[in-house]
Amino acid sequence: NAGVTQTPKFRVLKTGQSMTLLCAQDMNHEYMYWYRQDPGMGLRLIHYSVGEGTTAKGEVPDGYNVSRLKKQNFLLGLESAAPSQTSVYFCASSVRGPPYGYTFGSGTRLTVV
Amino acid sequence: DAKTTQPPSMDCAEGRAANLPCNHSTISGNEYVYWYRQIHSQGPQYIIHGLKNNETNEMASLIITEDRKSSTLILPHATLRDTAVYYCIVSLLTGGGNKLTFGTGTQLKVEL
């Protein structure tokens, strides 16, 4: 039982390049989330999804796009990477209903040069 | 969502209880209190949550004051592996997803 898997774990991009971060969960969770974490700061919500085919903006959505074509996958895209997007990105999932906890992935460390 | 206030850092001797406080004076009646921790640079890990009553699980105990304006996470016998950043979060469960807002938390250092 893998839980939440994020790929890749590390990536270096040049300014202006694009990439997609993949989050996959095998727990049949309805809700999925993308967060970013910068040094000395807490996690900030980028986008989230409450079900297959749905997405919504979080606290810091600018510069990112997401898609949830399959229930188990949640993709985070950077169309034109900027140095300000250098961060650690965490994906999480949770069930719908009672306030059960999030399950987080191990993170993707992205550097934009 | 209500805002939370936590001390930036705490120390605890191994084997002793670690008591991590959290103030959430603007909490509303249907908001839950959640605790997560983040060890080094790993993804945060869910610890426990509560609404009104005290809660206990295999990891920790959560004590919520009667007026719900503050809470304490208790790690009964702290070990070196409990060194982490601990986040106290207050959040509603809504039909639009249970979105949690993570502050900067409390850095707990467990020492010999």
Side-chain angles (χ1 to χ4, degrees), chain A residues 33 35 43-45 48 59 92 94 99-104, chain B residues 1 32-36 46 89-93 97-103:
Chain A
Y33 312 82
Y35 284 86
L43 284 78
R44 292 183 292 170
L45 182 64
Y48 65 100
E59 179 187 356
S94 70
Y100 302 133
Y102 283 22
T103 300
F104 278 86
Chain B
D1 293 341
Y32 289 82
V33 180
Y34 296 82
W35 283 86
Y36 284 75
Y46 165 81
I89 301 162
V90 172
S91 180
L92 282 170
L93 175 64
N98 190 17
K99 302 183 291 295
L100 301 182
T101 300
F102 290 76

Side-chain angles (χ1 to χ4, degrees), chain B residues 85-112:
Chain B
V85 177
Y86 287 77
Y87 298 99
C88 170
I89 301 162
V90 172
S91 180
L92 282 170
L93 175 64
T94 70
N98 190 17
K99 302 183 291 295
L100 301 182
T101 300
F102 290 76
T104 53
T106 295
Q107 172 67 63
L108 174 68
K109 183 183 294 185
V110 181
E111 300 172 311
L112 293 171

Side-chain angles (χ1 to χ4, degrees), chain A residues 3-39:
Chain A
V4 176
T5 302
Q6 292 183 233
T7 53
K9 296 190 183 309
F10 302 93
R11 185 71 184 271
V12 178
L13 283 181
K14 293 183 179 179
T15 297
Q17 285 185 320
S18 64
M19 78 163 295
T20 300
L21 283 66
L22 171 64
C23 176
Q25 54 96 2
D26 61 2
M27 298 170 287
N28 201 36
H29 284 173
E30 288 289 338
Y31 296 168
M32 296 187 75
Y33 312 82
W34 275 107
Y35 284 86
R36 62 177 287 175
Q37 185 173 35
D38 300 306

Side-chain angles (χ1 to χ4, degrees), chain B residues 11-98:
Chain B
D11 294 331
C12 179
E14 190 177 32
R16 304 298 291 265
N19 297 287
L20 290 89
C22 180
N23 286 322
H24 31 79
S25 59
T26 61
I27 192 170
S28 63
N30 53 356
E31 286 185 305
Y32 289 82
V33 180
Y34 296 82
W35 283 86
Y36 284 75
R37 72 180 183 183
Q38 186 173 25
I39 297 173
H40 195 42
S41 298
Q42 299 175 20
Q45 176 189 24
Y46 165 81
I47 301 173
I48 199 167
H49 73 271
L51 184 61
K52 295 180 181 178
N53 301 320
N54 298 336
E55 303 287 346
T56 296
N57 63 20
E58 65 278 4
M59 290 183 67
S61 295
L62 174 60
I63 309 297
I64 302 174
T65 58
E66 191 168 345
D67 63 7
R68 301 208 327 122
K69 293 185 177 182
S70 66
S71 61
T72 300
L73 179 75
I74 301 172
L75 308 178
H77 304 287
T79 70
L80 298 178
R81 288 176 293 181
D82 292 321
T83 292
V85 177
Y86 287 77
Y87 298 99
C88 170
I89 301 162
V90 172
S91 180
L92 282 170
L93 175 64
T94 70
N98 190 17

Side-chain angles (χ1 to χ4, degrees), chain A residues 58-94:
Chain A
E59 179 187 356
V60 289
D62 294 341
Y64 305 95
N65 57 75
V66 288
S67 65
R68 183 107 180 263
L69 299 179
K70 293 183 179 181
K71 185 177 182 179
Q72 64 268 32
N73 296 335
F74 195 28
L75 279 63
L76 178 70
L78 287 73
E79 290 188 349
S80 179
S84 61
Q85 295 177 304
T86 293
S87 189
V88 180
Y89 292 86
F90 289 102
C91 176
S93 68
S94 70

